[in-house]
Amino acid sequence: MKKMLAPALAALSLALPGAGHAQVKIGFINSITGPEAPIGENLTNGVDMAVEDLKKKGVNVQLIKQDDTGKPQVSMSAMEQLATGDEVAAVVGPYTSATANAVAKLANQYKVPQVVPAAAKEEITKQGYDFVFRLNAPAHQYAQSLIDAASELGKPKTIAFIYESTDFGTSVAAAGKDFAQKKGLKIVADEAYQKGAPDYRSTLTKIKAQSPDLVFMVSYVADAILLMRQSREVGLKPQAFLGGGAGFDTAQFESEKDISNLVFSVTQWTPESSPAAQEFADRYLKKYGKKPTYHAACAYASMTIVGEVAQQAGGDRKKIQEALKAGKWNGIMGSVDFRDYEGFTNQNELVMPVVQYQGGKSVTVFPKQLAKKKAVYPFPGWK
Amino acid sequence: MNVFLQSVISGILVGGVYALIGIGLTIIFGVMRVINFAHGDLLMLGMYATWLVFSRLGIDPFVSVAITGPLLFLWGAFLQKTLINRVLNALPQNQILLTIGLGLIMSNSIMLMFTSDYRILTTTYSSSSFSLGGISISEPLLVAFLITAVITAALYWFLLRTDTGQAIRATAQDRDAAQLMGINVQAMSVLAFGIGSALAGVAGALISPTYYIFPQVGSTFTLKAFVIVVLGGMGSVIGATLGGLIIGVTESLSAVYIASGLKELVVFVLFLGLLLFKPSGLLGKTRA
Amino acid sequence: MDRRPLLSRAPRGFSVLGLVLFVAAIAALAAFPSFVKKPYVLHMGVVLFLAIIQGQAWNVIGGYAGQYSVGHAAFFGIGAYVTMMLLELNKTAPWVGIWAAIAAAVLLSLVIGSITFRLRGPYFVLASISVTEIIRLAALHFKDFTRGAEGFLVTEIPTLKIGATEIEFFTKRPFYFAALGLAVVTIIANWAVQHSKLGYYFQAIREDQDAAHSLGINPAFYKNVALAISAAFTAAAGGFYAMFVKFIDPNTVFGLDVSVQFVLICIIGGIGTILGPVIGAMVLVPLSEILRNPKGLVQLGIVSSDSGFVRFIEANLSNAHMLVYGILVVVVILFAPEGVLGVIRRLATRLRRRTPSRGRTEPAATA
């Protein structure tokens, strides 16, 4: 098989003057099918775009995609195959918290550098794994940014939590509860729900009866819209709705003007953050016909960094790990630097911008250095 | 008190749609004694049909019931005639696996056609509600509830007053005797499966404005439908209606007074308890 | 209406040929890792053995005693959770913890049995599903005890010392042998059950519960015994699964799809026989793996990565493996409800009939 590939490679290197180096094999684990696939698609697009851009820069990446179907055990066997079968130089992914955490253990065991693009679970980079890097901000940042923003904008005293009982939902909510207590907020409701239930009205009514100042919600895609629709129905009216990323950070949610208006959300990335980011967003929109989510941007940035580093290191895993640890990059995600701090290992410290949906458009409102508009606070009530 | 009333009301409204799903299943079970594990997937097909005619043709979900119902009827009748019919006398686990297989085929074909993206139908009334004595009532749910009531009433009339309806009931009561009486039980089975899936499809259309749509949405409803059917007594239409309402209210109340994460669990416990103490269901007749 | 499975005849006697083949197969499989060292191949071997254990375990209650439980995920999950939690929270080695897991599952089976065996037919099926759903939802909700959706990840499996040899569970090899051993034990136990008095009681209950009762066989008691045996092996499979894939959460071990897989392995192979689950596993495991991940074949060196076959599957089916799975189920149920084994027997009978030179008339009662 190598014999068959050799002429093809030679032809490629003739065609592309820059591609003097050999190909680097990079693995990409993602939820291509399964319940998380709709978000996973953004990561795939981001990575594909990165591979194309890398090629233009003369970095020839052979991307080996593996579907984890959103299940940790599948992601682990995918990782094993990438590490021992395909013998990739490095791995980008997987997407979800549970799968990324499961793969991290193996990455460290097999000494394959792994860059986690968009999984929030705190523990992933808190276990002292030298070979595991994370580009996105961990779970506590979601809660911290949102609650910080609310405390700056008003004087909330009580907070209610409603979140789906998945790994992501519980870890963001747990971090949120911790931080709320630190801030002296009283937790008046703590409701985990099974995702996919058609009716949250009774839960929301119960929360309404506590009249909390802040309502903090964590959910994946569609439940976010459902929760807000039913909040409107039952007339839940806190000072602010805080949406903990994910489902509250999608174009679909944004477009539901009736219910998304004035909801706060937190995100890993916005196109507004820099000209480079805006340029990426425009190209992405042109290519895929939809706006990029932060997942796409995180995946793009992760892949770009890994591709460049892997080629410089000649595909050597240990050298890649060292280069990732030592290096610093600037791109669509702003500056990326994998550091050890506050118990984290190889964690990129990212300021998460807080956005507010204003008339069907998300605008960055916090922190001040990133803010484009003033936030509307408190929530004036439903129309 | 307000919280209690609010939960009961929204439970009843949601329960109305559950009832419709349950009625479809109970008719299928009653006539054929087949446990249809693809029932939720039929509902899912109804949702996609609704979404398609809404997004392409701009037809309102509540109006499109007139399209999705007949469509799903034909599809159900086709499934019964070509596939289900062959396992009517097979072992129960084979019937279950066949319908599970059919469900997988339906949900995954839809996934290939429309991807696994979540589809949300946004109508002007998707989150409208009005207040009645401090209790908020969702408009789309109320409309869905009323349509359900009309369909259920029509179904009663059909089963009780028409010859075909009576033939269906006779087949459900005793298949062999019905055959001896000259009833075409084959045709009745096709009809029953058609009606059952049409009802699932209509239920899908009715919840579309307030819920979301994705290929695997069915499984949530399949299990719930079984609970409803057994609760009401397998094969009993009134039982399923009642069962749907009870499940809706139970879920709603347990989310408030026990825990949101436990509302499904409470339903299953209730179900198991009933199976043990009154396996024939609330309104079911004990079968020899 | 005759609702008996086609292959329900009671096994008789002891086949020397069968024993020789069985021992030869074990020897070949035990020697296999000495020749093939690719982790992926050994991984698939483990998955296959696990499926065989699952199928055999379900067979005791579903095949012999005729109680079609669609709730075996309960025992599988308990096995996985008890083994995992003892390891992670109490540092109990899994080969010790698995006994506690088996005990817990047997206990649970007695509770579940006493509840569900009062019911028959579809009611029993639905009850078995509900019990498992209750356990799954409870495991998700009571986070303080089970960690909820976060699940458990194995941090480290201790080194097993047998005499002077130390076995470290780093590679696939020890798992391969452990799974093979467990599969062999399960098969032997299944054979023993089938050929014991117990096995006859089970079959009597399956054929006609009321008649069995009038013969003095207490159906409730023996159904419970069958379920307990089945639960024990299922829990062992669950405990092994937890250690092998190193991660469990309520949805992956208590899910309805897990329960369905137990049934499917038996149905596809042939219900109520020793060979059935083995064949079912041999059909199901490679098929779903090829569809999910055609690159595995490349790794095995069977096809090259640019072959038309791999490209075809990747382009057309890699997103559709569950669709093909569904079609397979429907086809098997409609055209081979007695499983692959049944089809083979049918063909063999037909073949023998055509060759009368053997001078042996195969009784039509094979069916």
Side-chain angles (χ1 to χ4, degrees):
Chain A
M1 209 203 73
K2 273 200 181 119
K3 269 184 195 154
M4 286 171 62
L5 265 178
L9 279 180
L12 264 180
S13 52
L14 281 179
L16 293 166
H21 295 274
Q23 268 190 331
V24 280
K25 262 193 199 176
I26 295 173
F28 172 49
I29 310 173
N30 187 22
S31 302
I32 298 170
T33 62
E36 259 61 77
I39 295 185
E41 194 192 327
N42 298 305
L43 283 105
T44 306
N45 292 345
V47 162
D48 284 344
M49 241 172 105
V51 171
E52 278 172 31
D53 289 0
L54 282 168
K55 196 165 220 163
K56 284 180 209 148
K57 285 191 227 162
V59 180
N60 202 354
V61 172
Q62 186 195 347
L63 190 67
I64 301 180
K65 286 183 195 169
Q66 282 278 349
D67 181 10
D68 63 25
T69 69
K71 291 181 181 164
Q73 66 276 28
V74 182
S75 73
M76 286 164 101
S77 61
M79 182 63 192
E80 270 172 357
Q81 198 179 318
L82 288 172
T84 63
D86 298 313
E87 294 182 343
V88 296
V91 166
V92 174
Y95 161 48
T96 64
S97 281
T99 53
N101 192 39
V103 166
K105 224 178 74 72
L106 291 178
N108 214 51
Q109 192 181 318
Y110 288 115
K111 304 211 178 306
V112 179
Q114 175 199 12
V115 176
V116 177
K121 190 184 173 85
E122 295 275 299
E123 284 75 12
I124 295 173
T125 44
K126 268 200 160 168
Q127 302 164 104
Y129 292 158
D130 293 332
F131 278 82
V132 180
F133 298 80
R134 173 157 55 184
L135 186 111
N136 66 298
H140 75 273
Q141 278 283 331
Y142 285 74
Q144 215 161 308
S145 302
L146 279 169
I147 294 172
D148 271 341
S151 315
E152 193 135 309
L153 293 164
K155 286 194 180 55
K157 289 190 184 59
T158 55
I159 185 166
F161 286 89
I162 173 164
Y163 51 97
E164 63 170 38
S165 57
T166 59
D167 203 354
F168 171 71
T170 37
S171 48
V172 173
K177 283 179 266 181
D178 265 2
F179 191 69
Q181 259 155 357
K182 261 186 222 152
K183 281 267 177 178
L185 288 166
K186 196 177 161 221
I187 299 165
V188 292
D190 178 7
E191 296 285 334
Y193 66 86
Q194 278 275 312
K195 72 169 168 185
D199 180 27
Y200 303 114
R201 292 175 186 84
S202 42
T203 308
L204 293 167
T205 312
K206 186 177 169 187
I207 289 176
K208 186 189 169 195
Q210 304 286 338
S211 45
D213 295 336
L214 300 173
V215 173
F216 194 115
M217 298 178 172
V218 191
S219 89
Y220 273 111
V221 190
D223 283 320
I225 295 176
L226 222 59
L227 279 168
M228 287 313 298
R229 275 186 184 172
Q230 298 183 4
S231 296
R232 183 183 176 194
E233 258 178 42
V234 302
L236 182 60
K237 185 183 158 294
Q239 289 175 18
F241 285 102
L242 309 177
F248 290 89
D249 188 16
T250 56
Q252 228 170 356
F253 185 78
E254 187 177 26
S255 66
E256 295 279 319
K257 281 183 216 165
D258 285 350
I259 46 128
S260 69
N261 201 26
L262 304 183
V263 172
F264 289 90
S265 176
V266 65
T267 183
Q268 303 274 357
W269 173 83
T270 67
E272 300 173 333
S273 58
S274 70
Q278 190 60 53
E279 188 261 349
F280 166 77
D282 294 342
R283 275 199 301 143
Y284 187 99
L285 179 67
K286 215 163 144 194
K287 192 168 160 69
Y288 298 107
K290 44 182 156 185
K291 283 192 216 167
T293 62
Y294 74 76
H295 312 92
C298 289
Y300 176 87
S302 302
M303 190 68 216
T304 310
I305 292 170
V306 171
E308 280 173 6
V309 168
Q311 200 202 29
Q312 280 157 15
D316 182 273
R317 289 172 179 174
K318 183 67 193 155
K319 279 187 195 153
I320 296 173
Q321 186 265 341
E322 284 161 4
L324 283 171
K325 183 113 202 168
K328 226 177 169 179
W329 298 267
N330 239 311
I332 62 163
M333 295 293 298
S335 121
V336 173
D337 181 9
F338 300 108
R339 293 191 305 117
D340 299 349
Y341 68 96
E342 291 169 19
F344 288 105
T345 309
N346 301 337
Q347 173 67 52
N348 177 34
E349 199 172 2
L350 191 78
V351 182
M352 290 186 79
V354 171
V355 298
Q356 187 176 38
Y357 294 100
Q358 297 183 352
K361 238 186 98 48
S362 86
V363 240
T364 311
V365 293
F366 188 85
K368 280 205 184 80
Q369 65 267 29
L370 294 176
K372 298 279 180 227
K373 257 188 174 173
K374 245 179 91 83
V376 178
Y377 190 100
F379 182 65
W382 295 102
K383 265 183 269 178
Chain B
M1 195 57 206
N2 209 348
V3 175
F4 175 79
L5 274 180
Q6 178 72 62
S7 312
V8 171
I9 298 282
S10 49
I12 288 177
L13 291 180
V14 173
V17 184
Y18 286 176
L20 203 55
I21 306 169
I23 294 171
L25 192 65
T26 214
I27 290 179
I28 291 175
F29 181 83
V31 173
M32 269 162 290
R33 300 273 171 262
V34 168
I35 305 190
N36 178 23
F37 264 89
H39 204 67
D41 296 292
L42 293 168
L43 174 104
M44 178 272 302
L45 288 185
M47 290 172 119
Y48 270 91
T50 311
W51 168 70
L52 269 182
V53 296
F54 178 77
S55 57
R56 302 278 152 87
L57 309 171
I59 298 175
D60 186 276
F62 291 131
V63 179
S64 70
V65 164
I67 303 168
T68 45
L71 221 59
L72 264 290
F73 176 88
L74 291 177
W75 174 242
F78 169 77
L79 282 183
Q80 149 65 25
K81 205 158 167 58
T82 52
L83 302 172
I84 311 277
N85 200 28
R86 292 158 170 259
V87 296
L88 282 192
N89 295 318
L91 295 157
Q93 89 272 19
N94 284 18
Q95 299 173 340
I96 291 174
L97 283 174
L98 177 73
T99 54
I100 287 179
L102 285 177
L104 282 176
I105 293 175
M106 284 190 250
S107 58
N108 287 287
S109 308
I110 288 290
M111 197 183 90
L112 283 184
M113 276 187 266
F114 299 108
T115 75
S116 46
D117 282 357
Y118 290 83
R119 312 285 173 179
I120 299 234
L121 279 182
T122 307
T123 55
T124 47
Y125 49 80
S126 272
S127 54
S128 327
S129 61
F130 61 88
S131 183
L132 200 77
I135 288 165
S136 90
I137 292 169
S138 156
E139 280 170 26
L141 268 191
L142 184 68
V143 176
F145 186 83
L146 294 176
I147 296 180
T148 302
V150 171
I151 290 175
T152 314
L155 197 68
Y156 279 133
W157 176 83
F158 169 72
L159 288 177
L160 292 175
R161 300 273 172 230
T162 64
D163 289 346
T164 322
Q166 283 181 343
I168 289 181
R169 281 169 52 226
T171 314
Q173 249 162 30
D174 191 329
R175 207 179 168 81
D176 297 334
Q179 189 146 29
L180 288 176
M181 301 290 286
I183 292 173
N184 184 350
V185 293
Q186 288 284 341
M188 290 310 126
S189 300
V190 174
L191 199 59
F193 211 95
I195 294 176
S197 35
L199 291 177
V202 168
L206 293 182
I207 44 176
S208 293
T210 50
Y211 195 45
Y212 48 79
I213 302 164
F214 60 102
Q216 276 79 28
V217 71
S219 54
T220 321
F221 292 97
T222 304
L223 279 183
K224 213 165 269 177
F226 280 117
V227 175
I228 291 166
V229 166
V230 174
L231 195 68
M234 288 220 199
S236 160
V237 176
I238 307 183
T241 316
L242 208 63
L245 297 178
I246 292 174
I247 296 300
V249 175
T250 309
E251 279 191 356
S252 195
L253 287 179
S254 29
V256 174
Y257 296 103
I258 300 174
S260 302
L262 286 181
K263 63 179 187 181
E264 281 94 354
L265 187 142
V266 173
V267 168
F268 282 116
V269 170
L270 182 86
F271 173 64
L272 214 55
L274 194 90
L275 270 183
L276 288 178
F277 299 112
K278 202 172 181 315
S280 52
L282 293 177
L283 297 176
K285 292 174 216 90
T286 330
R287 284 170 48 81
Chain C
M1 201 70 48
D2 188 358
R3 287 198 158 216
R4 286 189 309 146
L6 285 165
L7 293 162
S8 66
R9 68 198 166 128
R12 26 189 118 72
F14 187 88
S15 150
V16 180
L17 181 68
L19 184 70
V20 170
L21 283 176
F22 182 58
V23 173
I26 297 171
L29 287 169
F32 186 68
S34 311
F35 301 106
V36 181
K37 296 207 173 352
K38 281 190 175 168
Y40 179 71
V41 180
L42 297 185
H43 179 94
M44 288 321 295
V46 176
V47 175
L48 181 72
F49 297 147
L50 195 67
I52 292 175
I53 301 165
Q54 287 179 304
Q56 296 290 359
W58 187 85
N59 214 7
V60 177
I61 182 75
Y64 304 149
Q67 305 301 308
Y68 310 108
S69 155
V70 191
H72 259 51
F75 310 120
F76 188 75
I78 290 291
Y81 262 90
V82 172
T83 313
M84 182 66 111
M85 286 169 78
L86 281 173
L87 174 66
E88 287 302 305
L89 306 176
N90 201 35
K91 301 258 177 287
T92 309
W95 44 91
V96 178
I98 207 154
W99 294 102
I102 290 172
V106 169
L107 216 64
L108 178 73
S109 79
L110 297 180
V111 177
I112 293 184
S114 63
I115 298 173
T116 56
F117 282 140
R118 301 204 211 159
L119 305 161
R120 291 192 194 183
Y123 293 98
F124 174 77
V125 171
L126 290 175
S128 66
I129 293 175
S130 326
V131 171
T132 313
E133 277 294 288
I134 289 173
I135 297 175
R136 180 181 72 86
L137 291 163
L140 270 177
H141 183 78
F142 296 103
K143 294 194 259 300
D144 297 339
F145 183 57
T146 63
R147 292 195 191 163
E150 191 190 337
F152 282 91
L153 205 59
V154 173
T155 34
E156 200 190 353
I157 300 176
T159 308
L160 173 62
K161 288 193 189 95
I162 305 173
T165 37
E166 290 191 353
I167 303 170
E168 286 186 88
F169 285 86
F170 276 157
T171 59
K172 302 281 176 195
R173 245 178 101 91
F175 284 105
Y176 179 90
F177 287 112
L180 177 62
L182 196 55
V184 170
V185 170
T186 316
I187 291 174
I188 293 173
N190 228 305
W191 188 88
V193 167
Q194 205 186 17
H195 288 75
S196 69
K197 223 175 203 170
L198 217 51
Y200 288 105
Y201 289 164
F202 293 165
Q203 281 159 28
I205 292 170
R206 175 185 71 195
E207 301 307 328
D208 191 335
Q209 184 169 323
D210 301 319
H213 199 151
S214 62
L215 285 173
I217 300 170
N218 179 350
F221 176 75
Y222 284 105
K223 280 191 216 167
N224 263 319
V225 172
L227 187 63
I229 296 172
S230 180
F233 285 104
T234 307
F240 180 84
Y241 170 89
M243 293 303 112
F244 178 61
V245 306
K246 298 185 175 63
F247 172 83
I248 53 167
D249 70 359
N251 291 333
T252 55
V253 293
F254 289 118
L256 181 58
D257 48 337
V258 179
S259 297
V260 170
Q261 197 186 344
F262 277 91
V263 190
L264 215 54
I265 293 167
C266 289
I267 300 253
I268 287 188
I271 211 163
T273 56
I274 300 278
L275 212 51
V278 178
I279 292 179
M282 279 164 60
V283 173
L284 212 58
V285 170
L287 191 80
S288 55
E289 180 63 17
I290 290 169
L291 290 171
R292 191 189 68 80
N293 177 23
K295 289 201 193 82
L297 287 178
V298 180
Q299 282 207 29
L300 293 178
I302 295 173
V303 291
S304 72
S305 67
D306 43 5
S307 77
F309 177 71
V310 171
R311 260 190 261 146
F312 172 79
I313 291 193
E314 278 195 319
N316 300 297
L317 298 176
S318 61
N319 280 327
H321 59 271
M322 288 309 287
L323 176 64
V324 178
Y325 204 79
I327 294 173
L328 176 79
V329 173
V330 170
V331 167
V332 167
I333 298 290
L334 287 182
F335 301 106
E338 70 280 43
V340 174
L341 197 58
V343 173
I344 294 172
R345 285 203 181 157
R346 213 158 53 190
L347 289 177
T349 313
R350 205 179 292 168
L351 222 68
R352 265 184 238 160
R353 281 211 189 111
R354 282 204 197 135
T355 47
S357 56
R358 289 211 184 156
R360 217 178 114 206
T361 43
E362 183 69 19
T366 333

